[in-house]
């Protein structure tokens, strides 16, 4: 493709060097370049996937006296039902009286509103901390320490998440997300009990 | 012309250097979104893929480690793999094949492997929990710093996810990551 243009002026004059001008056609190279760009643009993923970290307890049985006891008033049980329904109740059964169970959804006006109203103090503190962080750029260690202080405060509710078999993976992630949004530091995913299923059944009737 | 060529090649260099290729996955997984902004590292990851029917797929990064993991699994299930089969496995991305079909699967052509009827999923129930063994083998190979990431489909029913999670719990893998898409934190 590269063509070498030569002048044919060979009149036999000696001592003068031959004039050679070289013109290389770059078009195919540019074509190839753009082809490769297109290929790489289509084949790459620029967005890295996000993750949420989760830690579950190990399966070792914890004996009765080693279990952490929490006040019933701090406990909130969230049951993930089928068809994107969520149920929640506070505390536990006391003196044979069932706790009041409520039904809601995963929208910001549903579960989130309730959780924020229950955890207002920590939410406000976290918001203040985040604002301070964006202004002053706190060191990560300081930020993490203060964050965990807020999250582990004694007034924070403790959330027990109980997914039923009808719940989907999305529901679980949504709830875990709400925990992060509502600054709830202590939560656990627990198997559903027949008692909880009974509560939902009673509510539906 | 020269300027355009310069720009074109600059872009080409940029894309070549920043690219990490979309890996082929045997099933399509639509991840749920969350506000979490933690990025997953590119290396030292075990990826667990769960599709919406609950089939489990698995992948480990690093060609050599994949070979070693398969060797270990072969020892557990007393299957010996040839060098060629190990090399094939080393080049493979995410897979979901029960151990008894692994040998046949590795001898297939790549086109046959991609066929949907070959996306069977790794058995992960209480009778035959091969998934657990895969994770243990990968953990032994990759060391304690390797991260487990679960990429589940939005619509996966909870019992299927629970099976995966409790399999991990049984081998005391209590910390792992759930891969999610990006969602902006709305007003609250």
């Amino acid at each position: 493709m590269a063509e070498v243009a030569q002048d044919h002026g060979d009149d036999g004059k000696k001592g003068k060097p031959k004039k050679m001008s070289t013109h290389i056609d770059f078009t195919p190279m540019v074509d190839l370049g753009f082809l490769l760009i297109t290929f790489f643009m289509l084949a790459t993923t620029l967005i890295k996937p996000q993750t949420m970290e989760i830690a579950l307890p190990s399966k070792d049985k914890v004996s009765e006296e080693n279990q952490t006891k929490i006040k019933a008033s701090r406990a909130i049980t969230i049951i993930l039902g089928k068809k994107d329904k969520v149920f929640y109740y506070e505390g536990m059964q006391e003196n044979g009286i069932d706790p009041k169970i409520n039904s809601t959804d995963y929208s910001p006006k549903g579960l989130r509103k309730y959780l924020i109203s229950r955890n207002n103090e920590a939410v406000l503190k976290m918001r203040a901390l985040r604002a301070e962080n964006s202004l002053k750029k706190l060191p990560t260690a300081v930020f993490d320490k203060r964050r965990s202080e807020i999250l582990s405060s004694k007034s924070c509710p403790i959330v027990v998440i109980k997914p039923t078999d009808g719940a989907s993976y999305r529901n679980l992630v949504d709830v875990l997300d709400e925990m992060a949004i509502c600054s709830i530091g202590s939560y656990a995913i627990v198997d559903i009990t027949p008692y909880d299923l009974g509560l939902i059944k009673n509510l539906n009737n | 012309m020269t300027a355009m060529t310069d720009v074109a090649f600059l872009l080409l260099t940029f894309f070549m250097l920043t690219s990490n290729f979309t890996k082929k996955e045997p099933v399509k997984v639509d991840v749920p979104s969350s506000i979490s902004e933690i990025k997953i590292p590119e290396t030292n990851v075990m990826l667990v893929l769960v599709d919406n029917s609950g089939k489990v797929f698995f992948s480990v990064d690093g060609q050599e480690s994949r070979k070693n993991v398969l060797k270990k699994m072969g020892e557990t299930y007393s299957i010996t793999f040839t060098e060629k089969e190990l090399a094939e496995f080393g080049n493979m991305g995410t897979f979901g094949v029960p151990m008894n079909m692994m040998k046949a699967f590795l001898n297939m052509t790549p086109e046959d492997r991609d066929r949907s009827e070959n996306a069977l999923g790794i058995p992960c129930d209480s009778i035959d929990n091969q998934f657990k063994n895969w994770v243990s083998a990968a953990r032994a190979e990759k060391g304690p710093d390797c991260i487990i990431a679960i990429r589940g489909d939005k619509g996966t029913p909870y019992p299927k996810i629970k099976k995966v999670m409790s399999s991990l719990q049984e081998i005391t893998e209590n910390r792992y990551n759930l891969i999610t898409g990006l969602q902006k934190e709305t007003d609250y």
Side-chain angles (χ1 to χ4, degrees):
Chain A
M1 288 300 241
E3 49 192 66
V4 181
Q6 260 180 319
D7 56 340
H8 302 282
D10 191 22
D11 349 357
K13 278 182 190 169
K14 282 174 184 175
K16 239 183 182 178
K18 271 184 196 170
K19 264 188 188 166
M20 296 257 279
S21 76
T22 47
H23 284 289
I24 298 174
D25 188 6
F26 276 104
T27 328
M29 190 181 78
V30 179
D31 283 355
L32 193 72
F34 274 106
L35 186 82
L36 284 172
I37 290 181
T38 327
F39 169 71
F40 276 104
M41 274 173 79
L42 293 178
T44 50
T45 39
L46 285 176
I47 316 158
K48 269 205 208 166
Q50 262 80 21
T51 78
M52 45 170 41
E53 279 170 345
I54 178 171
L56 291 182
S58 60
K59 275 220 166 143
D60 309 331
K61 280 273 166 283
V62 182
S63 62
E64 193 73 19
E65 64 262 33
N66 281 343
Q67 282 177 354
T68 339
K69 295 276 188 295
I70 56 161
K71 261 200 254 162
S73 60
R74 275 180 78 190
I76 299 173
T77 306
I78 298 178
I79 301 167
L80 317 183
K82 55 184 167 199
K83 289 183 189 151
D84 294 339
K85 280 252 175 215
V86 203
F87 305 92
Y88 62 85
Y89 65 83
E90 294 170 15
M92 53 184 277
Q93 193 184 28
E94 269 171 285
N95 309 325
I97 301 162
D98 287 338
K100 191 186 174 308
I101 186 161
N102 300 291
S103 158
T104 181
D105 53 24
Y106 294 96
S107 71
K109 286 200 178 94
L111 189 62
R112 191 177 306 171
K113 202 174 163 199
Y114 164 72
L115 286 174
I116 285 178
S117 73
R118 272 302 305 267
N119 198 21
N120 209 0
E121 199 185 329
V123 171
L124 290 177
K125 271 187 193 161
M126 269 311 286
R127 232 181 269 182
L129 179 61
R130 275 203 208 102
E132 196 185 329
N133 189 37
S134 61
L135 274 179
K136 281 196 245 165
K137 288 267 165 285
L138 297 169
T140 329
V142 177
F143 181 79
D144 284 348
K145 191 167 166 277
R146 289 180 54 184
R147 187 173 150 268
S148 67
E149 265 169 25
I150 296 171
L151 293 186
S152 60
S153 111
K154 278 271 180 284
S155 59
C156 276
I158 289 165
V159 177
V160 181
I161 301 165
K162 293 183 176 175
T164 62
D165 287 355
S168 68
Y169 177 58
R170 182 209 200 136
N171 296 151
L172 182 69
V173 170
D174 278 349
V175 165
L176 292 177
D177 218 21
E178 292 302 325
M179 297 296 120
I181 295 172
C182 304
S183 312
I184 289 169
S186 17
Y187 53 88
I189 303 170
V190 177
D191 287 340
I192 192 94
T193 57
Y195 172 73
D196 295 311
L197 288 174
L199 282 178
I200 300 175
K201 219 173 176 186
N202 289 343
L203 183 77
N204 288 341
N205 289 339
Chain B
M1 180 70 169
T2 329
M4 190 181 75
T5 321
D6 284 355
V7 172
F9 275 90
L10 187 80
L11 280 173
L12 180 61
T13 326
F14 169 74
F15 277 109
M16 275 173 76
L17 291 178
T18 55
S19 67
N20 46 341
F21 291 101
T22 19
K23 288 186 197 81
K24 206 164 34 174
E25 285 171 351
V27 280
K28 206 176 152 12
V29 167
D30 188 10
V31 291
S33 51
S34 85
I35 56 138
S36 173
E37 278 173 7
I38 311 164
K39 297 264 191 273
I40 189 158
E42 270 155 41
T43 49
N44 234 358
V45 180
M46 302 179 213
L47 186 71
V48 181
L49 213 70
V50 187
D51 81 342
N52 55 10
S53 60
K55 280 188 249 172
V56 181
F57 300 84
F58 188 65
S59 78
V60 190
D61 65 315
Q63 205 168 336
E64 274 308 305
S65 356
R66 268 203 292 272
K67 279 188 196 171
N68 290 335
V69 169
L70 184 68
K71 241 184 244 170
K72 266 190 208 118
M73 281 301 282
E75 282 161 24
T76 320
Y77 288 89
S78 41
I79 304 169
T80 28
F81 292 101
T82 60
E83 256 330 293
K84 194 176 154 271
E85 284 163 346
L86 286 173
E88 278 290 327
F89 189 76
N91 292 329
M92 222 160 57
T94 319
F95 63 93
V97 193
M99 272 318 268
N100 54 1
M101 293 185 55
M102 184 56 94
K103 227 175 155 60
F105 183 72
L106 289 174
N107 288 317
M108 279 179 198
T109 59
E111 291 79 44
D112 277 347
R113 250 178 245 160
D114 289 342
R115 286 230 291 270
S116 58
E117 67 259 30
N118 285 324
L120 294 162
I122 300 168
C124 179
D125 33 47
S126 47
I127 320 154
D128 183 17
N129 201 332
Q130 295 179 5
F131 169 67
K132 209 165 84 177
N133 293 334
W134 276 110
V135 177
S136 310
R139 172 62 78 202
E141 170 63 29
K142 302 286 278 185
D145 291 334
C146 189
I147 285 172
I148 301 178
I150 299 182
R151 221 168 103 93
D153 192 277
K154 268 180 197 173
T156 318
Y158 177 69
K160 308 274 185 193
I161 284 286
K162 197 176 128 190
K163 264 204 294 197
V164 174
M165 286 181 168
S166 54
S167 305
L168 290 174
Q169 261 181 311
E170 276 168 38
I171 48 171
T172 56
E173 298 287 356
N174 298 322
R175 299 190 75 91
Y176 38 82
N177 290 266
L178 304 177
I179 296 184
T180 53
L182 183 66
Q183 181 187 43
K184 275 272 162 273
E185 198 166 343
T186 45
D187 53 324
Y188 54 87

